[in-house]
Each structure stands twice: as C-alpha cells, then as structure tokens.
Amino acid sequence: EHLRPLNVETFSGPCRPDLICVVENTRDLMLFRRLTAKSDKTLIVRYVLSVDYVLSGAFLTEKLGLEEEMLVLNDATFLKMKPLPMTGYEENARSHFKTKKEWETYKAFMPLFIRKWSEVIVPYCEMRLSFTEYALLKALTVYQMVHYRLSEDGKTLCSQHRNM
C-alpha cells in the first residue's frame, strides 16, 4: 500500500540520505576500520553501495512484490515485470513517451532493471533466505568481489574477515 509506481521522469537512482546511511554503516565494519590504505577504504565503500543497492532491491521484491511480479526498488517504487517492459530501444519506442528526456532516461535504466530482474531478483527469490542469510550474503558478496582489487595488506585482512 506504501509502494508507488516508478515514474521514469523523476527517477534519479538512490537518494542521498540512503547512500549516507550505507556509507556510515560501512565505516562501522571491522574490516573497514582495520584497513589503512585510503584506496582500499574507497573501494570497499563503492562495492558496499553497489551490492546494497542490488540485494536490497532483491530483498524488498521478495517480501513485497514477488507475488504480483513487481520489481521493488529501494525508494519504495515498483515496476511491473510481467509482461517484461520494453527496453526503450525497440522500433518506434520514442512514440510511447511524452518527451525525449523521458525516453532517454527510460532507455538508460530499463535494460538494467530487466537484467536485474532476470539475473538477480528471480534467482534470489528462489533461495528463500532468512534475514540473517540475506545479510550474510551481502557481506560475503562484497568480500569476494573486492578481495582481488585491494592492496596486499587489504587482501590479507579481507581474507581473514571473509573466512570467519
């Protein structure tokens, strides 16, 4: 009842306060506090933000939108995914939009949403994770993805945390 349809004209991605909360929580991670290289800390923040955005959408979709086949975004908007929406690149797609800007925004985001739905949301929902498992999946995903891009000291610390 609190969800609202996605408005492509006003969509701009995650809002600043949400991003700030994720960054502040990242700073509380033991791994983050133990890293000494600024580049390692920056990398961790970038990956945490990315993983949080994708997996939070999966979690919200499973809890609030799966039965109605809606992709639920982190800003409490939703997008019907059955039938799959057009990508915006179809022939004559421009004619479905009021303005060129709306069409260009749609084309920029919609293929990503469709891919997120089919490659992340649906498989995530099939796993039926508990909240604890979801939180652990987020952490392990970040550790696994970021590990190979960290400094040697960062890799050592990341391995220790990942393998706890």
Side-chain angles (χ1 to χ4, degrees):
E1 114 187 3
H2 296 289
L3 298 176
R4 59 195 189 288
L6 175 69
N7 181 342
V8 176
E9 284 186 277
T10 61
F11 181 75
S12 61
C15 68
R16 184 174 170 83
D18 289 347
L19 296 175
I20 290 170
C21 286
V22 173
V23 170
E24 290 303 316
N25 287 332
T26 303
R27 288 180 173 170
D28 288 338
L29 292 174
M30 187 186 313
L31 171 62
F32 185 87
R33 291 193 315 257
R34 292 181 64 197
L35 291 170
T36 55
K38 184 177 180 183
S39 61
D40 285 348
K41 289 185 175 201
T42 300
L43 199 60
I44 291 281
V45 168
R46 287 177 49 210
Y47 275 86
V48 167
L49 286 167
S50 299
V51 169
D52 180 74
Y53 183 74
V54 172
L55 289 182
S56 292
F59 179 81
L60 291 170
T61 296
E62 181 190 21
K63 300 302 181 202
L64 304 173
L66 188 60
E67 288 182 18
E68 292 83 21
E69 296 188 338
M70 298 185 312
L71 169 64
V72 180
L73 301 175
N74 302 15
D75 64 354
T77 58
F78 70 88
L79 181 63
K80 289 281 191 185
M81 297 306 285
K82 188 166 186 173
L84 280 177
M86 67 177 179
T87 64
Y89 288 94
E90 295 81 0
E91 190 173 326
N92 297 321
R94 169 67 178 92
S95 64
H96 294 273
F97 299 90
K98 297 175 194 163
T99 65
K100 183 177 180 185
K101 182 181 183 292
E102 180 184 7
W103 175 51
E104 289 173 348
T105 303
Y106 186 95
K107 286 192 319 181
F109 288 107
M110 197 53 61
L112 299 173
F113 291 150
I114 293 169
R115 188 170 175 206
K116 180 179 177 180
W117 174 261
S118 62
E119 295 180 16
V120 177
I121 305 291
V122 172
Y124 173 88
C125 292
E126 288 171 353
M127 291 191 292
R128 303 278 185 213
L129 301 178
S130 69
F131 183 78
T132 302
E133 291 167 327
Y134 154 73
L136 186 58
L137 176 64
K138 283 173 66 172
L140 290 175
T141 300
V142 169
Y143 290 157
Q144 185 63 31
M145 290 174 64
V146 79
H147 178 268
Y148 300 99
R149 301 198 59 205
L150 294 170
S151 67
E152 289 306 314
D153 289 341
K155 286 178 185 176
T156 301
L157 287 170
C158 185
S159 292
Q160 292 169 356
H161 287 269
R162 183 186 59 204
N163 297 332
M164 288 178 130

